[in-house]
Amino acid sequence: MPPPEGGSTDPHRRGRRPVLLIVGLALFAIATGLFFLGRQADQAQQQEAVRLQPAAAIAPDPFTPSVAGPVPALRAVPPPPAPSPESGKVRVAGHYGSEPGLFGGTVKASTCDARRLANLLLRDPHKSQAWAGTLGLTTADLRPYLTGLTPAVVIVDTRVTDHHYREGRARPHQAVLQAGTAVLLDRYGVPRVRCATGDPLRPPAAVTKKVVYTGRSWRGFQAGGTVRVLPAHQPLDALVLTDVVTGERFIRPVGGTGATDRNVAGTPVSSGPLGTVAAVPAAAVPVAAVGDTVTGLPLSVLAGKAWRAAEAPWTCCGNGRPEREESS
């Protein structure tokens, strides 16, 4: 019998058509998926993550358990600088670590236990070596270095390079420390330890890509409100801190844990009742001129452009304070 007009008597040919259709659809789906994966990869190469770290949050893979002490909550944070209206980019201002208004604390009280941190790190040779290596130290340097740092609290959201500990190595990442975060400061007024995790800190790296903020945000956070702390031009004898209980300034000698705190007039201060006050905006604090002192202690607030180049790759603007525009 002749085959029907327009049809085929070959059952194999009829069976191949659905298979070819399925194969074609599968190839199309694979090609589409590869296209979008390539697009996402291109976008990822054009972006850089900056992790938001709330004050008391325990980030993944901390170096140690928390060595932070109690920190009274800040009732408010400083108003953020306005972003550049011309470019729409966020401008991260640089402030020298010797400037009042960046750090605070509680009179006669320490917000971080440096001795305990040293003990915790030195229990693990691999961890202590990884920690020390981030700051160019040896494990033999750790205890004297840590106990020479000064406990304080950042009172402005602050950009840093943080490090977590994974697989025996210190893994750096860009981060923002929330105002109210307990830190340890070095002799140049630069944060070197995040006390809630025992992580070593370095100044932030220059970001030239589009910034993508990750992690949990907090009320009042604005990218334009972050600051970058630059090393003072010379080692400091003391730091001028803002008391987060009274709002007044006081002097804490470098390496002091509260017992030797003094008021700005140079006399010892007594601790007052606990409470909360608004943090003092850094922009509202007058900066001392070259050579100005507080009770004989040099503030080292200089107007020049020089700072330690190895940790300050950012550009410098006309007023001597480096700033960096970051896309957001």
Side-chain angles (χ1 to χ4, degrees), residues 51-68 162 194-199 216:
R51 182 181 300 172
L52 300 179
Q53 297 192 159
I58 305 300
D61 304 316
F63 263 85
T64 69
S66 176
V67 293
D162 197 353
R194 182 175 185 264
C195 300
T197 53
D199 294 347
R216 183 163 53 91

Side-chain angles (χ1 to χ4, degrees), residues 281-293:
V285 178
V287 178
V290 176
D292 282 3
T293 59

Side-chain angles (χ1 to χ4, degrees), residues 17-111:
R17 290 176 182 174
V19 173
L20 292 174
L21 178 61
I22 293 172
V23 170
L25 291 173
L27 291 174
F28 176 77
I30 292 172
T32 303
L34 291 175
F35 170 77
F36 283 107
L37 286 175
R39 188 174 180 180
Q40 290 177 352
D42 290 341
Q43 291 177 345
Q45 291 177 354
Q46 299 171 6
Q47 298 175 345
E48 183 160 352
V50 175
R51 182 181 300 172
L52 300 179
Q53 297 192 159
I58 305 300
D61 304 316
F63 263 85
T64 69
S66 176
V67 293
V71 179
L74 301 181
R75 191 169 61 191
V77 296
S84 169
E86 296 82 8
S87 64
K89 294 183 177 180
V90 175
R91 189 175 294 275
V92 180
H95 291 267
Y96 294 105
S98 49
E99 295 181 30
L102 295 174
F103 306 109
T106 305
V107 172
K108 295 294 183 180
S110 175
T111 51

Side-chain angles (χ1 to χ4, degrees), residues 202-294:
R202 288 178 61 89
V207 176
T208 57
K209 301 177 183 179
K210 178 179 176 63
V211 174
V212 177
Y213 292 97
T214 64
R216 183 163 53 91
S217 186
W218 49 85
R219 184 178 180 182
F221 170 74
Q222 294 188 40
T226 60
V227 300
R228 175 179 188 261
V229 180
L230 307 170
H233 290 270
Q234 62 186 42
L236 303 173
D237 297 318
L239 293 158
V240 180
L241 305 180
T242 299
D243 192 319
V244 298
V245 173
T246 65
E248 298 178 354
R249 293 186 204 159
F250 65 97
I251 293 172
R252 176 166 292 172
V254 168
T257 57
T260 55
D261 290 348
R262 293 179 289 170
N263 62 25
V264 174
T267 57
V269 293
S270 59
S271 57
L274 293 179
T276 57
V277 296
V280 178
V285 178
V287 178
V290 176
D292 282 3
T293 59
V294 174

Side-chain angles (χ1 to χ4, degrees), residues 111-136:
T111 51
C112 193
D113 191 339
R115 294 182 183 278
R116 180 167 178 254
L117 176 59
N119 291 337
L120 290 170
L121 289 173
L122 290 171
R123 290 176 186 173
D124 186 331
H126 298 290
K127 185 175 291 188
S128 59
Q129 185 175 11
W131 199 105
T134 63
L135 301 182

